[in-house]
């Protein structure tokens, strides 16, 4: 078992553990007990994840003498909305959850983001715990406290920064993921490779992409490595006043794609993979990276099967308009995170419309 302690910000006593291990779901109850004062726990999940892991998790809090309740939401990005959020609030009120009680999110990034936002808002904030079961959620969304729902006009536009009390990551849950969902998580894993040096963490014996190439499979060490990179960024900029935006590499175009698809028919990781390709093309066109590094990264994306294209039904102009409501926009200017060297990215806010449209054209 490996535990990372995330301190946010690093200089204050506030901290929470990210507990990473194989077959640890059965200990969920004791981890919740160690990290909250809850007497009642509302576990939020969906039918798929509950069917696979509900019983193991449910038994464990009962052993710890909690009152445990389950709420199953509909499955899918299109349900990461105000209605699902309200369903959680209503259940919490019906169960008379009090301020010291807690929510727990058992599932992927969708369940994690909505449940975290429900915890941030119910009774002005109660504790919650993340129990991520997708690769994407284990390497990214369960860590760092971004909680949100989608709005019909834009992705993740309604949300908060609200840290969990613990993240309980059972890496064996990724064995039941479909190939598509593994690849979706891999897109965020590759993202860390592209931003690695800008994360401000040193001490690993090889570069991220070399590590991936050497192992050719997801290991608990890899998941820990991603969480450490993310923690290094979040510790320095919890509320995204600057540096944290680098974690959104590939997301400016990616989020707009998801919105244009109506949050259906494309996964978050697929959209981010297209967005990262767009960022590399934009950077090459601007001379920010040389041909060699550009080709290496495009080869990596292709090699991991991330050669997705945007559906031709989506007009480039609509995509561009959607990018303009991205959360990172400042004074009306779109901001892009672009590569400027091997594992290095920077933030740019002066990209003319034509340059962006030229790149978008290459993504169909
Ligand atoms: P998801 O939550 O929709 O899960 C993908 C699918 O896998 C779902 O059908 C789910 O039911 C199923 N599933 C979950 N665990 C399973 C398991 N162990 N075995 C079999 N099936 C399983 O998608 P996701 O990729 O996990 O998360 C995407 C979401 O995360 C997006 O909404 C994105 O915006 C968000 N996100 C948030 C952050 C953050 O910092 N908060 C970071 C990255 C992404
Ligand atoms: N996934 C982006 C962030 O956590 O900031």
């Amino acid at each position: 078992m490996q535990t990372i302690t995330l301190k946010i910000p690093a200089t204050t006593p506030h901290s929470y553990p990210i507990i990473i291990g194989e077959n640890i779901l059965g200990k969920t109850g004791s981890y919740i007990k160690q990290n909250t004062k809850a007497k009642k726990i509302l576990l939020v999940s969906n039918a798929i994840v509950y069917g696979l892991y509900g019983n193991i998790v449910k038994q464990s809090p009962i052993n710890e003498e909690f009152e445990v309740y389950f709420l199953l939401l509909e499955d899918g990005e299109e349900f990461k909305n105000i209605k699902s959020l309200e369903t959680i609030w209503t259940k919490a009120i019906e169960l008379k959850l009090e301020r010291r009680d807690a929510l727990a999110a058992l599932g992927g990034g969708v369940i994690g983001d909505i449940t975290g936002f429900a915890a941030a808002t119910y009774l002005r904030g109660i504790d919650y715990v993340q129990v991520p079961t997708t690769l994407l959620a284990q390497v990214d969304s369960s860590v760092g406290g971004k909680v949100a729902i989608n709005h019909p006009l834009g992705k993740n536009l309604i949300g908060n920064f609200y840290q969990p009390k613990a993240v309980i990551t059972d890496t064996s849950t990724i064995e039941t993921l479909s190939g598509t969902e593994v690849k979706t998580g891999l897109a965020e894993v590759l993202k860390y490779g592209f931003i690695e040096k800008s994360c401000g963490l040193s001490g690993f014996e090889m570069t991220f992409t070399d590590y991936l190439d050497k192992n050719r499979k997801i290991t608990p060490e890899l998941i820990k490595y991603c969480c450490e990179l993310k923690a290094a960024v979040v510790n320095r900029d919890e509320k995204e006043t600057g540096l944290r935006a680098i974690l959104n590499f590939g997301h400016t175009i990616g989020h707009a794609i998801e919105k244009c698809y109506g949050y259906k028919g494309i996964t978050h990781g697929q959209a981010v993979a297209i967005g990262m390709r767009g960022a590399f093309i934009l950077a090459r066109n601007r001379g920010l990276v040389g041909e060699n590094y550009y080709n290496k990264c495009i080869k990596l994306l292709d090699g991991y099967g991330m050669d997705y294209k945007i559906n031709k039904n989506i007009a480039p102009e609509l995509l561009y308009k959607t990018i303009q409501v991205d959360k990172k926009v400042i004074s009306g200017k779109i901001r892009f995170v672009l590569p400027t060297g091997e594992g290095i990215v920077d933030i740019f806010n002066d990209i003319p419309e034509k340059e962006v449209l030229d790149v978008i054209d290459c993504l169909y």
Side-chain angles (χ1 to χ4, degrees), residues 233-251:
V233 174
V234 175
N235 274 342
R236 285 154 70 198
D237 179 22
E238 181 191 1
K239 299 211 168 150
E240 202 168 307
T241 53
L243 177 74
R244 187 167 177 166
I246 68 169
L247 295 172
N248 271 330
F249 179 59
H251 288 55

Side-chain angles (χ1 to χ4, degrees), residues 155-334:
K155 168 92 180 158
N156 285 345
L157 290 186
I158 316 297
N160 202 349
F161 293 96
Y162 194 70
Q163 303 295 338
K165 287 290 167 194
V167 181
I168 302 161
T169 294
D170 184 337
T171 56
S172 56
T173 59
I174 60 177
E175 281 161 25
T176 53
L177 285 179
S178 69
T180 302
E181 294 306 338
V182 172
K183 263 171 68 179
T184 258
L186 260 177
E188 297 279 14
V189 171
L190 281 180
K191 175 191 79 180
Y192 287 113
F194 299 141
I195 67 170
E196 182 180 20
K197 288 198 186 127
S198 299
C199 290
L201 191 71
S202 57
F204 294 114
E205 75 271 19
M206 62 178 79
T207 70
F208 193 95
T209 41
D210 288 346
Y211 181 98
L212 256 185
D213 266 354
K214 183 168 166 254
N215 289 281
R216 294 309 289 185
K217 74 176 177 101
I218 306 300
T219 60
E221 287 68 33
L222 179 71
I223 291 170
K224 179 168 173 255
Y225 198 171
C226 294
C227 293
E228 282 171 338
L229 285 168
K230 181 154 187 182
V233 174
V234 175
N235 274 342
R236 285 154 70 198
D237 179 22
E238 181 191 1
K239 299 211 168 150
E240 202 168 307
T241 53
L243 177 74
R244 187 167 177 166
I246 68 169
L247 295 172
N248 271 330
F249 179 59
H251 288 55
T252 308
I253 294 177
H255 279 167
I257 294 174
E258 287 186 88
K259 189 263 161 190
C260 289
Y261 272 72
Y263 308 115
K264 279 188 285 211
I266 189 159
T267 69
H268 177 69
Q270 288 167 343
V272 167
I274 301 175
M276 291 195 291
R277 184 178 297 266
F280 280 116
I281 299 172
L282 193 44
R284 183 203 49 186
N285 291 354
R286 300 198 126 212
L288 297 173
V289 290
E291 267 322 289
N292 281 352
Y293 183 57
Y294 170 82
N295 288 331
K296 180 181 167 184
C297 295
I298 295 295
K299 217 168 131 198
L300 256 172
L301 285 169
D302 290 343
Y304 281 96
M306 312 268 164
D307 48 357
Y308 312 107
K309 305 264 182 255
I310 303 173
N311 189 319
K312 290 203 167 60
N313 295 334
I314 293 166
E317 295 73 23
L318 174 68
L319 196 58
Y320 185 77
K321 271 199 165 154
T322 311
I323 289 175
Q324 288 176 307
V325 291
D326 184 74
K327 285 190 301 306
K328 292 187 295 305
V329 166
I330 292 183
S331 305
K333 285 192 173 157
I334 300 171

